[in-house]
Amino acid sequence: MHDDRSLVEARLERALRQFLRPAQYTDRLPLALSVWHVPGEPVPVDQALQAAYEPFTTGTLWGKPWSTSWFRIEGRVPEEWAGRHVEVVVDPGFTGDGPGFQAEGLLYDASGVPLKGIHPRNRHLTVGAPARGGEAVHVLLEAAANPAVLHGFEPTHLGDVLTAGDGPVYRFAAADLAVLDPDVWRLVLDIEVLSELMHELDAGRPRRHEILRALEDMLDVLDLHDVPGTAPAARGALTEVLSRPAAASAHRISATGHAHIDSAWLWPLRETVRKASRTFANVTALAGDYPELVFACSQAQQYAWVKEHQPHIWERIKKAVEEGNWAPVGSMWVESDANMPGGEALARQIVHGKRFFREEFGVETEEIWLPDSFGYTAAFPQLAKLAGVRWFLTQKLSWNQSNRMPHHTFWWEGIDGTRVFTHFPPVDTYNSQFHGRELAHAERNFAEKGRATRSLVPFGWGDGGGGPTREMLEKARRLRSLEGSPRVEIERPSAFFAAAEEEYGAQAPVWSGELYLELHRATYTTQAKTKQGNRRSEHALREAELWCTTAAVREPSYAYPYDALDRLWKTVLLHQFHDILPGSSIAWVHREARETYARVLAEVDELTARAVRALGSGAPAVLNASPYERTEVVADALVTVPGLGSAAVPDTEDPAGARVRAERSDDTIVLENEWLRVRIDRDGLLTSVRDVARGREVLCGPGNLLQLHPDHPNAWDAWDIDRHYRRTRTDLTDAESVELVESGPLRAVVRVTRAFGSSRIVQDIRLTAAARRLDVVTEVDWRESEKVLKAAFPLDVHAERSAAEIQFGHVHRPTHANTGWDAARFEICAHRWLRVAEDGYGVAVLNDSTYGHDVTRCAHEDGLGTTVRLTLLRAPHSPDPETDLGTHRFTYALLPGAEVGDAVAEGLALNLPLRVAGAPALAPLVSLDNPAVTVESVKLAEDRSGDVVVRLYESRGGRARCELTAGFPVARTEVTDLLERPLHETTGPFTLRPFQILTLRLRPA
């Protein structure tokens, strides 16, 4: 036979494009339009129903960026359309087919009940199937003029309503009443499924040619000038080829509806409220036509928004959950970043998420669902298991630049040894359309072939695109068992996970440690004020809960602020979403985040102050929210304060006789206390930091060396820092001034001022009496463009690896680049500290709001050292053209001679400043007898029983035995899960394995 495949395929493509797809709607009738342009922010439908509308015609421009217009759409079904499938079809001016990143709308009926969303791939509302002739059509469209922001990562001011301008961005294209021909519509879907499958089959397989000839026969039957009349016969020509079942060995795909909706990204938070409403309306409407639909939906916050703003949709969701069409998943308040949230915050993400789903739906979610976050902390497996979570899902690792993950289904092992069954869908998307190319890729790509047979495919349009469509459900029906294709079964994620674990769990490989994303590494740094707001809010809430709990236990008249703390925590958790905390959202999002964090911190501070006042008045006392005893300079006194307690400010300035000395010569300033001797040269650089107690030099080059690099990633401006940035560097060695501004006896400060580019930086290098660390208090007026600022400490430590604090512990990473996996970690995340060590000696670098770091080996004349650098600031232009411009204040510190325990304690001290208040000296509410065990949080139980909940963990990476002592009578102590549900009663002491988290519930006697 002659090979005429390309001719037949071209014939088919033209028939689809020119004749079949246009013939899906056989008749159209324009509907009458009128409009009300909302003068400000979006309004509820009740207000829109009362507004005054003006006549409007199609083809008219509308919608300044971020505005809302309400359109009344009115007409009547012609009598001759009775009995046919009639729809309202709306196009408010879609620009291409990309859903979620342009105009969107929600249709309501005449009384204000929401019906379904309108998106580029989902433009219809069924009026009748069959329709009644003469029936009036009256719907209301809430149309959002959301501008498209990303255009090749070019700078744009469209990302903030304050700068986006007033010009209209859309031209209303159409609002029609139309007749859908079901036979033509289904014929198009038959052809798409077969054609897509055909193109994925090898030319040597007979099945490919059988499909081609069946499609050719179908075209022979079809009259392109009478598509509706001949569509049934054309479908008949495809019946046999569509009915052939899949092979017994075909890959099994568990498909679940999905609509990944970023809680903020290229739109503000308030728009996500509406995106969720539009999509959830679509899904609940679709379930009525396709009872097999299962829609997996995460992010309790989005449910809470819909419950508050769209009660009709909320009731439909509850019904869908009861009937099995809707599967709450994810177990978290939002799909948060999974690197930077603190330990307690990540625990609260799970606690608040699982509690919401249990209380609202009676559903105990069993999975962490994070398809799009930018890497995953090795603390997750233990947190998941402690919350009753069995499974973990992600997709993002398919974006790795350098190395392909070797597994798709595996056991993920955390730092404490806990394992969680994990799946990474080989389809490599969480917005599948059931295109033949996607399904074939899933089968070919699946790494576990030969041992496992199934994978998960989330399908649907995300980010406000409306989720699953009827076309996707129709394709799934055809693909349930089709020769040449994987088998497709729509089912709940839990059904997939249970079957996959039963089939493969005993043989599945183990991946140990973090799931590092080899991309988007700049998200540890971009939008520094957002990150600082998060860090400070987390620690402020930790402190507030401690003192509020102390007051509640010791002062019966004090009312613990359950509701306020719940609300404030949820606000912080929301802003940990994986495009807010990482800094990858538009300017509007980060402007509002800065304002929100300021309000949160002010309110949390007032809660703390109120609790401290309730504990009683007295002479000034110093309160310590860290679990470790501290000796620090406070005002003009040296104070020792117990962990989680307080102490009176001493009458004498220097009860211990501790001193700090400062000397200045022409070229050098020397600061010295009992622990450190620090030398600063005329350029303000650290030329020597000597550990007095150990008698060794810490530095092998100039310390606190600020370095400026050009920062031009190949793509993803706010997200990426590409390795080539290191090829060019400017060392900021010239100082405008180096001044000794304070010289003791309790504090010595050298102020260094530098100017570079359009920016200016002032750093106070500060050493205090009795301190083992050297602080660098920094203020930067940052005015650079596409630059990255680093602070370098070349340390005379021969370190094979670094240790970086993560949630509830730390991880080790090589300092070399022997393998591609090692080389890919050229930028890493650390929380409050990063430590490098050789046998017997270590040095830590601490910070109060910085997450990005890099660690490299540096040869010098006396051996091999290790350079630790903090990544302080960036200045990308997209999606926020003025990212990080302005004044920043932060502190980092050098801690010589640091063991892991020292880094833990000093990192907490730097992030939890001592508080001075008029209060009595307080013994700690709880205390531990082993410093290797760290108290993470002290709070009252969420069930408002008055029980005290203490979360603690082993923080050094070894076994630890400890006893907890309560500063109040305790009737019973229970070990609980993460959600404070009792597991068993205990009397202590406790033995913890490395990095084990333990939650205790103490009932006051």
Side-chain angles (χ1 to χ4, degrees):
M1 180 181 291
H2 298 296
D3 187 357
D4 63 349
R5 285 177 300 157
S6 60
L7 294 174
V8 177
E9 290 167 6
R11 177 189 176 194
L12 177 67
E13 175 55 35
R14 183 180 180 188
L16 270 172
R17 182 183 67 252
Q18 187 173 342
F19 297 97
L20 280 115
R21 290 195 178 104
Q24 291 176 97
Y25 285 107
T26 57
D27 295 284
R28 284 182 180 266
L29 179 69
L31 293 163
L33 291 170
S34 56
V35 67
W36 173 55
H37 300 295
V38 180
E41 282 292 281
V43 300
V45 66
D46 291 346
Q47 190 171 336
L49 289 170
Q50 303 302 316
Y53 286 71
E54 301 174 350
F56 185 86
T57 57
T58 57
T60 302
L61 289 168
W62 69 279
K64 67 180 182 180
W66 304 113
S67 68
T68 300
S69 295
W70 289 80
F71 293 91
R72 277 191 175 141
I73 303 173
E74 298 172 296
R76 190 171 297 276
V77 177
E79 292 289 349
E80 59 271 23
W81 289 6
R84 302 170 74 182
H85 187 113
V86 178
E87 299 180 344
V88 173
V89 182
V90 179
D91 181 353
F94 296 128
T95 54
D97 290 332
F101 304 96
Q102 53 170 296
E104 300 175 41
L106 180 60
L107 288 168
Y108 297 77
D109 69 12
S111 64
V113 175
L115 301 173
K116 70 182 295 287
I118 294 296
H119 311 87
R121 301 291 186 101
N122 199 336
R123 308 181 183 201
H124 70 278
L125 170 70
T126 299
V127 172
R132 298 194 302 271
E135 180 181 1
V137 175
H138 184 157
V139 293
L140 199 59
L141 172 67
E142 179 192 19
N146 300 338
V149 176
L150 277 190
H151 297 284
F153 307 103
E154 293 292 328
T156 176
H157 289 286
L158 287 171
D160 195 330
V161 69
L162 301 181
T163 60
D166 294 329
V169 289
Y170 293 105
R171 187 181 300 276
F172 204 105
D176 295 335
L177 207 56
V179 176
L180 178 72
D181 188 308
D183 286 321
V184 177
W185 178 68
R186 292 191 174 96
L187 174 61
V188 169
L189 290 163
D190 292 343
I191 294 169
E192 287 179 350
V193 166
L194 288 169
S195 177
E196 290 165 9
L197 171 59
M198 175 183 70
H199 283 94
E200 296 304 317
L201 296 174
D202 185 87
R205 292 183 63 177
R207 175 65 167 163
R208 174 170 182 146
H209 299 273
E210 290 165 0
I211 293 173
L212 179 72
R213 297 311 163 191
L215 290 169
E216 185 178 33
D217 293 345
M218 177 273 301
L219 288 171
D220 293 340
V221 171
L222 189 68
D223 183 347
L224 296 182
H225 291 282
D226 184 15
V227 172
T230 55
R235 291 199 71 204
L238 298 176
T239 299
E240 194 276 336
V241 76
L242 277 168
S243 65
R244 293 191 183 181
S249 61
H251 185 64
R252 295 176 179 272
I253 283 176
S254 297
T256 186
H258 192 231
H260 174 75
I261 303 175
D262 288 307
S263 288
W265 179 26
L266 304 180
W267 48 86
L269 285 166
R270 63 89 155 148
E271 192 56 30
T272 312
V273 178
R274 302 199 294 176
K275 282 177 177 283
S277 298
R278 297 174 196 125
T279 295
F280 296 174
N282 273 9
V283 172
T284 52
L286 189 63
D289 296 325
Y290 294 89
E292 71 269 30
L293 173 63
V294 175
F295 179 68
C297 186
S298 65
Q299 306 198 73
Q301 172 68 87
Q302 294 183 8
Y303 288 78
W305 280 331
V306 172
K307 180 182 179 182
E308 177 184 357
H309 295 279
Q310 292 286 2
H312 287 96
I313 299 174
W314 176 248
E315 291 302 317
R316 286 157 56 178
I317 291 172
K318 290 199 295 184
K319 181 174 182 288
V321 171
E322 290 174 2
E323 295 180 351
N325 298 116
W326 190 293
V329 296
S331 306
M332 297 177 71
W333 190 249
V334 295
E335 290 184 13
S336 74
D337 178 77
N339 288 309
M340 291 174 285
E344 189 61 22
L346 202 55
R348 301 295 176 95
Q349 286 283 358
I350 302 173
V351 166
H352 283 291
K354 283 188 68 84
R355 181 174 292 126
F356 181 92
F357 293 131
R358 190 178 68 233
E359 292 177 354
E360 296 294 343
F361 304 119
V363 171
E364 185 77 24
T365 52
E366 294 185 289
E367 66 288 299
I368 300 292
W369 185 277
L370 288 177
D372 192 37
S373 300
F374 310 146
Y376 305 93
T377 172
F380 246 134
Q382 183 179 190
L383 286 169
K385 187 171 183 179
L386 287 172
V389 168
R390 299 173 58 189
W391 305 306
F392 189 94
L393 178 135
T394 179
Q395 179 66 66
K396 201 66 173 185
L397 296 175
S398 65
W399 289 43
N400 271 5
Q401 280 182 323
S402 305
N403 298 283
R404 182 179 183 269
M405 280 291 293
H407 317 300
H408 285 106
T409 304
F410 55 97
W411 290 100
W412 179 22
E413 181 181 272
I415 54 173
D416 73 311
T418 298
R419 294 176 180 178
V420 60
F421 194 69
T422 298
H423 185 62
F424 164 32
V427 70
D428 286 349
T429 180
Y430 44 80
N431 292 321
S432 173
Q433 306 164 45
F434 286 131
H435 194 285
R437 180 176 57 251
E438 296 170 340
L439 302 186
H441 176 74
E443 184 173 59
R444 287 192 293 261
N445 191 39
F446 187 50
E448 273 62 59
K449 288 189 290 286
R451 294 291 184 186
T453 64
R454 64 187 70 235
S455 67
L456 185 72
V457 170
F459 69 93
W461 296 108
D463 280 331
T469 64
R470 59 186 179 181
E471 288 79 12
M472 294 175 191
L473 272 297
E474 288 286 339
K475 283 189 170 186
R477 287 178 173 178
R478 290 157 176 79
L479 291 163
R480 194 163 190 264
S481 180
L482 181 61
E483 183 186 355
S485 172
R487 295 176 182 270
V488 173
E489 184 76 30
I490 294 177
E491 57 186 357
R492 304 173 72 85
S494 58
F496 159 76
F497 273 110
E501 187 174 353
E502 181 180 2
E503 173 186 66
Y504 189 50
Q507 304 178 72
V510 177
W511 180 273
S512 182
E514 67 181 331
L515 293 171
Y516 178 92
L517 178 65
E518 296 176 356
L519 194 72
H520 293 357
R521 303 166 182 91
T523 56
Y524 314 145
T525 302
T526 307
Q527 296 287 359
K529 288 184 179 178
T530 298
K531 291 168 172 58
Q532 187 173 78
N534 174 74
R535 177 79 70 86
R536 293 184 178 173
S537 295
E538 286 179 347
H539 287 80
L541 281 163
R542 174 198 190 112
E543 183 178 9
E545 286 183 334
L546 170 66
W547 302 126
C548 290
T549 302
T550 303
V553 170
R554 292 180 172 164
E555 298 295 330
S557 62
Y558 173 79
Y560 189 84
Y562 291 102
D563 293 334
L565 287 168
D566 181 82
R567 172 175 47 80
L568 290 163
W569 261 117
K570 287 174 178 174
T571 300
V572 173
L573 299 180
L574 167 59
H575 286 79
Q576 291 176 342
F577 178 75
H578 67 252
D579 278 307
I580 303 179
L581 181 53
S584 46
S585 288
I586 56 174
W588 190 349
V589 172
H590 292 289
R591 171 173 58 81
E592 288 191 333
R594 293 190 293 271
E595 295 166 356
T596 299
Y597 283 129
R599 291 193 299 270
V600 166
L601 287 165
E603 187 172 351
V604 173
D605 188 66
E606 177 54 32
L607 291 178
T608 300
R610 195 179 306 154
V612 172
R613 287 195 298 269
L615 288 167
S617 60
V622 181
L623 287 78
N624 176 17
S626 164
Y628 293 102
E629 180 180 279
R630 298 155 67 173
T631 299
E632 292 186 16
V633 174
V634 178
D636 293 321
L638 191 64
V639 187
T640 298
V641 195
L644 307 179
S646 68
V649 178
D651 295 332
T652 60
E653 289 187 354
D654 185 12
R659 289 285 189 272
V660 62
R661 295 169 293 282
E663 300 174 359
R664 176 158 199 163
S665 64
D666 291 341
D667 296 331
T668 305
I669 299 174
V670 177
L671 311 179
E672 187 173 10
N673 69 6
E674 60 188 291
W675 297 103
L676 301 176
R677 181 178 173 85
V678 179
R679 187 181 300 273
I680 302 165
D681 70 9
R682 66 170 64 190
D683 293 315
L685 299 174
L686 303 178
T687 57
S688 172
V689 175
R690 189 161 186 82
D691 183 336
V692 174
R694 303 292 289 275
R696 66 175 284 168
E697 175 60 45
V698 174
L699 301 178
C700 60
N704 193 38
L705 174 62
L706 297 175
Q707 298 176 318
L708 199 65
H709 298 266
D711 186 15
H712 300 283
N714 293 345
W716 300 104
D717 282 24
W719 296 257
D720 282 359
I721 182 167
D722 287 348
R723 193 183 189 95
H724 59 249
Y725 86 92
R726 292 184 174 182
R727 298 175 65 87
T728 307
R729 183 184 87 203
T730 301
D731 292 345
L732 305 180
T733 56
D734 296 330
E736 281 189 353
S737 63
V738 179
E739 305 172 86
L740 180 62
V741 295
E742 194 169 349
S743 57
L746 297 180
R747 185 187 297 106
V749 180
V750 175
R751 181 163 296 159
V752 181
T753 304
R754 304 183 192 278
F756 55 95
S758 301
S759 303
R760 188 176 185 84
I761 184 167
V762 179
Q763 293 191 305
D764 283 355
I765 301 171
R766 184 178 66 193
L767 183 66
T768 59
R772 292 182 55 190
R773 72 175 199 245
L774 180 69
D775 292 351
V776 183
V777 183
T778 303
E779 180 174 302
V780 188
D781 184 13
W782 180 244
R783 302 292 169 184
E784 300 309 295
S785 172
E786 296 179 309
K787 299 286 196 301
V788 59
L789 180 67
K790 297 257 186 176
F793 289 91
L795 304 173
D796 194 10
V797 175
H798 185 143
E800 291 293 316
R801 59 185 187 173
S802 65
E805 187 186 41
I806 63 168
Q807 303 87 346
F808 298 106
H810 58 269
V811 292
H812 292 106
R813 303 179 180 105
T815 59
H816 57 70
N818 283 358
T819 71
W821 296 91
D822 302 329
R825 287 180 169 87
F826 61 82
E827 185 80 5
I828 56 177
C829 183
H831 283 209
R832 292 170 294 227
W833 56 267
L834 186 147
R835 176 180 178 264
V836 294
E838 58 191 38
D839 186 31
Y841 193 80
V843 179
V845 177
L846 318 173
N847 72 83
D848 74 351
S849 58
T850 299
Y851 294 91
H853 297 73
D854 70 76
V855 182
T856 54
R857 297 152 83 87
C858 58
H860 58 91
E861 60 184 18
D862 295 324
L864 184 67
T866 308
T867 298
V868 175
R869 297 200 302 171
L870 301 97
T871 312
L872 302 178
L873 292 167
R874 297 184 70 231
H877 290 169
S878 175
D880 177 0
E882 297 183 354
T883 301
D884 280 328
L885 297 184
T887 301
H888 300 265
R889 298 175 181 87
F890 49 83
T891 299
Y892 51 89
L894 187 68
L895 182 65
E899 299 298 329
V900 169
D902 301 319
V904 171
E906 291 293 338
L908 282 162
L910 184 61
N911 283 268
L912 288 165
L914 295 172
R915 175 182 291 265
V916 179
L922 299 168
L925 194 65
V926 295
S927 59
L928 303 174
D929 63 355
N930 188 336
V933 182
T934 299
V935 174
E936 177 71 11
S937 64
V938 179
K939 60 189 288 293
L940 288 193
E942 294 292 329
D943 63 7
R944 308 194 179 198
S945 62
D947 291 356
V948 174
V949 172
V950 181
R951 190 149 22 245
L952 48 88
Y953 69 103
E954 196 291 315
S955 59
R956 298 184 182 182
R959 303 273 170 174
R961 180 180 172 85
C962 76
E963 185 126 22
L964 182 144
T965 300
F968 58 95
V970 176
R972 186 174 68 204
T973 301
E974 295 172 314
V975 175
T976 76
D977 69 0
L978 206 64
L979 280 76
E980 304 169 8
R981 297 177 293 200
L983 299 175
H984 58 83
E985 192 169 345
T986 182
T987 58
F990 316 100
T991 299
L992 279 71
R993 66 181 181 273
F995 302 125
Q996 182 181 350
I997 302 166
L998 188 65
T999 304
L1000 299 174
R1001 184 172 181 140
L1002 284 61
R1003 173 155 297 177

